[in-house]
Amino acid sequence: MVSNETSAAVDKRLDAISTQAKQVCGIIDKLRERVEDGELATGNGISFLEVKHHTMLSYITNLAYLTLLKLHGRQIEDHSVITDLIEDRTVLEKMRPLEQRLKYQIDKMLRSAVISADGAQQKQMQVDNHAHRLETTDDPEKATMADTSAKLAAVMLSEDALADPSAFKPNPGSLAADIREEDELAIKSGIYRAPRQMPVHYEEEGNETAKREKEERRMMERASRSRLVRDLMVEYDDRPEMTTATGNPSVGITDERFEKLAEERSRYEEENFTRISLSKKERKGLRTKLTGLEDEFAHLNDFAGLAALQKTAASSGGKTAILDRLKQKRDNESMAEKVMRRRKGGDRDSDDEMFAARSIHKNKRGKFQKAKNRINKRR
Amino acid sequence: MDASQHLLMRTKERLETAMDAILRKADASTVTIRTRKFMTNRLLQRKQMVVDIIHPNLANLSRVEIREKLGKLFKSETDLVFPFGFRTQFGGGRSTGFVLIYDSMEAAKKFEPKFRLARQELATIDRKARSQRKQTKNRRKRLRGTAKDKKQVKKQK
């Protein structure tokens, strides 16, 4: 291969090489002396870096030997040097990503070594000075506040923050509870002051309408389960009446609930292959329900429902409120519920409340009753 | 007369058997067994199902009888059939319960709880008296660590 450079340029380069080589020799000799004197102890260093140095050294040596061979015109094909070179090169390349990962640690160690060598003492003195200056304020509150912040500021300002390796270390002190300054003072003063962070449930006092409505609804539900209303329903309902074989008109609305419960229970049992054990109360309740074939004379004096019905009927907004509410319920029911309602039976009211309301309405149909209503309303 | 008496006795017997058959002592062939929610549980190596037994005019079947019948039905040994949880409906005539049929005796011994194995004499639970068990438990509460395993010598009072 013929190079384009002139021979002068080549000579210049060769001269440069020889002078640089001499300089390097001098530096290496000095270094060797220092190592032999024991100044630079590398025993406790990072062994990873030592490996790197040694491999680099062997790489360079082999490279030099290779160039020597080339200069002397020897054959380099299948020479052991080449395998050694390749080996060293691979090692170095594999070490590079590891070094990347260790970079932060190594830099931090270097910095700490550098700093501890020069100015740790100086820094400490500076911080103390700052703190000392501020402590002389009269206001004790300000002093405590300023003390901590001053220390931090001093630490950050005295040296370049990056140079101080401990500036970014985790601060376990900040794990302590976040107490505000006033609270801290209050705690120190010895008088107990309640903390201002406790959330309390907001109870809107005096929401009369909601309370009244809730009360009404509860009474209606209870009334609809009473004997009186059940009899009314039986009387006014067009559906065929469901009775037992003995002829007692005992099956009422309440059985639906218990039937649903029993169905739910049996479904659970069969799905999970277990038997649910009932408490004593439940068993007693079951027994009464199972044998709950009341005769016609039971609960005839159950007039709890009557009072409730009369009250809600007499109250000015009661009936309409109930009906409105029921209408709302109907309007808000979903498609599925609607289908169920329709499937369960045409136009009849399966709603207890609705039926009760209607029954109230039906009770006051007569002329005399209408007149009485009018008078009551006017009053 | 002998002939007429004989005839009378015979008719009386026939009447009695007929009455028995109608009223109480229905024979076993009138019992119907229906299974629901049948599932082959490969993980526990068994078949599990809900069993409805209809036994009009009879008390409900005992567990032994259930095992025999289901063993015949599913062509397995009676030892591997484990019925439990049988409850008779109110009014009688019908009872519902659960049955597990294991594939092999090892599977049964592994997966079935001890009390059910003990019901069928496949495992024994030898226990001390209940009060004794409770007393040992309370004594153990006072000890700590491996001392609980050591056999304590009772203190002479």
Side-chain angles (χ1 to χ4, degrees):
Chain A
M1 230 165 57
V2 180
S3 74
N4 292 335
E5 294 172 52
T6 56
S7 55
V10 173
D11 285 335
K12 218 167 46 171
R13 278 174 197 277
L14 289 171
D15 287 334
I17 287 172
S18 55
T19 43
Q20 279 175 8
K22 278 204 196 91
Q23 282 171 4
V24 167
C25 276
I27 291 169
I28 287 175
D29 282 334
K30 274 191 220 153
L31 208 64
R32 191 155 49 82
E33 275 174 31
R34 283 178 77 186
V35 170
E36 277 170 2
D37 289 344
E39 239 182 81
L40 309 167
T42 56
N44 293 337
I46 302 174
S47 56
F48 178 80
L49 295 175
E50 274 206 56
V51 170
K52 191 176 165 196
H53 294 152
H54 286 299
T55 29
M56 253 195 185
L57 208 60
S58 70
Y59 184 74
I60 290 166
T61 337
N62 285 329
L63 209 60
Y65 186 61
L66 190 67
T67 35
L68 200 68
L69 287 176
K70 277 193 179 175
L71 286 172
H72 282 275
R74 302 275 176 81
Q75 289 280 30
I76 55 169
E77 206 175 326
D78 292 332
H79 206 278
S80 59
V81 193
I82 298 195
T83 38
D84 286 341
L85 274 172
I86 292 170
E87 221 180 281
D88 290 332
R89 189 65 184 274
T90 341
V91 169
L92 284 170
E93 273 175 12
K94 288 228 191 291
M95 285 174 76
R96 212 184 303 142
L98 293 173
E99 204 188 333
Q100 280 279 359
R101 277 182 227 154
L102 287 175
K103 190 169 157 23
Y104 177 69
Q105 308 281 352
I106 296 168
D107 287 344
K108 208 162 80 163
M109 283 181 82
L110 287 173
R111 260 184 266 132
S112 67
V114 164
I115 282 174
S116 61
D118 343 304
Q121 288 170 338
Q122 285 181 17
K123 189 183 72 154
Q124 198 53 42
M125 270 165 55
Q126 272 183 17
V127 167
D128 287 339
N129 279 339
H130 281 277
H132 196 68
R133 244 185 289 146
L134 287 164
E135 228 168 34
T136 52
T137 55
D138 289 331
D139 200 343
E141 226 182 285
K142 280 204 190 136
T144 48
M145 235 173 63
D147 207 16
T148 46
S149 63
K151 282 208 171 100
L152 190 61
V155 161
M156 291 194 78
L157 293 171
S158 61
E159 222 106 33
D160 185 17
L162 286 171
D164 180 16
S166 62
F168 299 117
K169 74 168 188 236
N171 183 16
S174 61
L175 282 173
D178 210 20
I179 315 172
R180 290 189 297 188
E181 270 69 71
E182 300 111 68
D183 294 343
E184 202 172 332
L185 194 71
I187 289 166
K188 282 197 183 152
S189 70
I191 305 167
Y192 172 70
R193 294 190 201 282
R196 290 182 232 162
Q197 296 125 6
M198 203 55 73
V200 178
H201 175 65
Y202 174 63
E203 197 105 39
E204 195 186 330
E205 285 291 310
N207 191 355
E208 293 293 332
T209 46
K211 256 192 218 166
R212 198 160 29 89
E213 279 207 355
K214 207 160 74 169
E215 188 71 31
E216 262 178 36
R217 174 179 268 134
R218 205 151 33 92
M219 281 224 275
M220 285 296 288
E221 278 179 27
R222 214 183 293 163
S224 64
R225 270 183 251 133
S226 73
R227 179 63 192 269
L228 180 73
V229 176
R230 272 196 284 153
D231 283 347
L232 277 175
M233 288 196 201
V234 162
E235 193 182 329
Y236 286 109
D237 201 2
D238 299 327
R239 274 180 283 166
E241 198 180 303
M242 194 164 55
T243 59
T244 61
T246 47
N248 284 341
S250 61
V251 177
I253 316 155
T254 44
D255 276 3
E256 260 182 44
R257 274 193 307 159
F258 279 93
E259 265 177 37
K260 255 190 248 167
L261 278 175
E263 201 190 294
E264 179 66 31
R265 202 187 308 128
S266 72
R267 196 186 57 81
Y268 175 85
E269 283 182 351
E270 287 187 357
E271 250 179 75
N272 298 47
F273 267 67
T274 47
R275 288 284 181 208
I276 301 177
S277 50
L278 305 165
S279 67
K280 244 192 221 172
K281 263 191 227 170
E282 287 172 346
R283 248 180 283 150
K284 257 191 236 167
L286 251 186
R287 187 132 307 183
T288 50
K289 290 305 156 194
L290 283 176
T291 60
L293 314 166
E294 336 176 302
D295 59 13
E296 298 161 33
F297 303 113
H299 300 299
L300 272 184
N301 56 352
D302 181 14
F303 290 121
L306 181 66
L309 289 177
Q310 279 187 338
K311 183 164 174 251
T312 48
S315 67
S316 50
K319 191 168 63 183
T320 49
I322 295 165
L323 288 177
D324 282 337
R325 229 188 325 178
L326 291 169
K327 220 192 293 173
Q328 237 185 13
K329 217 205 283 190
R330 268 260 179 118
D331 289 337
N332 289 345
E333 72 183 350
S334 66
M335 203 54 209
E337 288 168 12
K338 196 191 221 170
V339 166
M340 282 310 291
R341 184 169 55 82
R342 293 246 174 94
R343 199 191 303 164
K344 280 219 174 114
D347 211 13
R348 69 168 167 77
D349 304 316
S350 53
D351 233 2
D352 304 343
E353 277 189 3
M354 191 107 185
F355 199 87
R358 288 260 174 97
S359 59
I360 300 163
H361 182 68
K362 277 185 185 157
N363 270 344
K364 308 228 162 159
R365 217 175 240 174
K367 237 200 257 183
F368 177 64
Q369 299 292 349
K370 278 192 186 159
K372 204 164 121 187
N373 275 353
R374 245 181 283 129
I375 292 167
N376 281 340
K377 268 200 196 147
R378 232 181 272 149
R379 206 187 297 160
Chain B
M1 282 174 276
D2 264 331
S4 58
Q5 271 184 358
H6 208 61
L7 192 65
L8 200 69
M9 268 182 64
R10 280 245 307 279
T11 45
K12 201 165 105 183
E13 277 170 21
R14 261 192 272 154
L15 206 67
E16 272 181 9
T17 47
M19 289 295 283
D20 283 342
I22 292 168
L23 290 178
R24 286 188 310 106
K25 299 199 180 100
D27 47 335
S29 61
T30 61
V31 170
T32 325
I33 296 186
R34 251 189 257 143
T35 64
R36 279 187 291 135
K37 300 207 190 229
F38 179 87
M39 184 168 95
T40 314
N41 192 337
R42 283 280 106 229
L43 297 167
L44 297 173
Q45 299 160 37
R46 70 185 185 201
K47 304 189 188 67
Q48 54 195 48
M49 66 206 84
V50 176
V51 169
D52 283 335
I53 303 182
I54 303 173
H55 44 83
N57 297 331
L58 274 181
N60 69 338
L61 294 184
S62 70
R63 276 200 294 266
V64 177
E65 291 173 14
I66 293 173
R67 273 167 57 201
E68 285 171 9
K69 287 196 190 289
L70 277 170
K72 242 187 287 167
L73 206 64
F74 285 90
K75 297 177 198 67
S76 70
E77 296 174 25
T78 51
D79 270 351
L80 298 174
V81 182
F82 290 87
F84 64 97
F86 274 87
R87 297 271 172 88
T88 314
Q89 219 108 328
F90 190 77
R94 199 191 155 108
S95 45
T96 317
F98 311 110
V99 168
L100 310 169
I101 304 178
Y102 281 91
D103 293 342
S104 65
M105 190 46 83
E106 296 94 54
K109 291 229 170 107
K110 198 157 90 158
F111 296 119
E112 198 68 358
K114 289 269 164 2
F115 70 93
R116 265 188 237 147
L117 293 171
R119 276 185 197 169
Q120 297 187 359
E121 314 295 324
L122 294 170
T124 49
I125 310 174
D126 43 291
R127 279 195 274 209
K128 298 201 242 11
R130 192 154 172 259
S131 52
Q132 293 299 325
R133 277 185 277 147
K134 289 184 187 274
Q135 277 170 17
T136 17
K137 183 243 327 167
N138 288 330
R139 250 179 274 132
R140 282 231 186 109
K141 286 200 281 194
R142 280 185 253 134
L143 302 173
R144 191 90 169 80
T146 46
K148 290 194 201 195
D149 289 334
K150 295 203 186 123
K151 301 220 190 268
Q152 289 271 326
V153 180
K154 276 215 296 224
K155 275 196 275 198
Q156 298 290 332
K157 287 215 175 143

